[in-house]
Amino acid sequence: MASIEHDLFIEWMKWLQVNHPEHGFTYDGIISPKDWNAAPKRILLLLKDYNQKSKEKPFIELNLDDEKDRATLPNVRSHILWGIKSLDQWRTWDNAARWVYGLMHLTTDYYPSFSEADKQGDAKHRSDNLKKVAVIDVKKKPGKSSCNLSKLKRYFKEYPESYNFLARQIELYGKLDFVICCGDGLFDIFKKLAKQDLLSTQLLPYLHEDKDHLICSNGTIVINFIHPLLLKQGLYKDKVYTLLMEIAQKALSRLNHL
């Protein structure tokens, strides 16, 4: 799996370097193949882009056959495995780790309390939880600040080929239990991939479609949610955690009765 994803990224980067040399690239995907394979559920977190704070070597100048050159690119996997172990404020990944812990243990009549899940988002535990999932930034072009809905739409209008590459990446993961679309517009992007037959037709027709979730024909539950940074007024980490668990539980219960 990891080698196939790696090969796809090389193909993707080389295509971009020829056709869109200004684009750049972000490594993401399965954080730890060993932990992914051992996890009780397959969970994919869809986000918008990687916030690149430092200046890197221009993408057009990189030798993509050289591992050292590729290592200079932003890497979400390495960031999660190593960077977020620090004691700094990592609110995005703190919350994502809590969500993952809750979803991994969720059933139709149980999910861990927030007080239990809260511990899973600290510097000691967050990487251990996030190693079990896949994380995709749909904009492989690194960003500089927050990405709103208009920026996301503009990106896919400017780089429509991203849909095809993105679908190929998601297809590598096989049957997923949960896809959490973390931010405005990502739920619609997933639906577009499915309805344009870019993703497996096993997803269609949807068994159920609601404003906050989909149940695909293969049993994958896709949840329309907010970014883990919680950039919405009046929302707190405990309330958001509980809301996500309730949506997931509702969808799982509905799936079991279909």
Side-chain angles (χ1 to χ4, degrees), residues 38 57 231:
K57 186 177 179 179
L231 292 174

Side-chain angles (χ1 to χ4, degrees), residues 3 14 16 49 64 71 92 112 150 154 173 175 195 205:
S3 61
K14 287 185 174 181
L16 285 168
D49 63 8
L64 297 175
T92 293
S150 63
R154 187 161 60 248
Y173 307 147
K175 164 66 171 64
K195 292 183 177 180

Side-chain angles (χ1 to χ4, degrees), residues 72-109:
T72 65
L73 292 166
N75 192 319
V76 174
R77 295 175 298 186
S78 295
H79 180 64
I80 288 174
L81 285 171
W82 310 113
I84 64 173
K85 288 186 177 180
S86 71
L87 296 177
D88 296 334
Q89 286 290 330
W90 292 94
R91 287 186 297 157
T92 293
W93 301 114
D94 290 352
N95 288 311
R98 296 179 184 106
W99 298 358
V100 168
Y101 179 82
L103 291 171
M104 287 291 181
H105 294 84
L106 178 139
T107 67
T108 55
D109 55 8

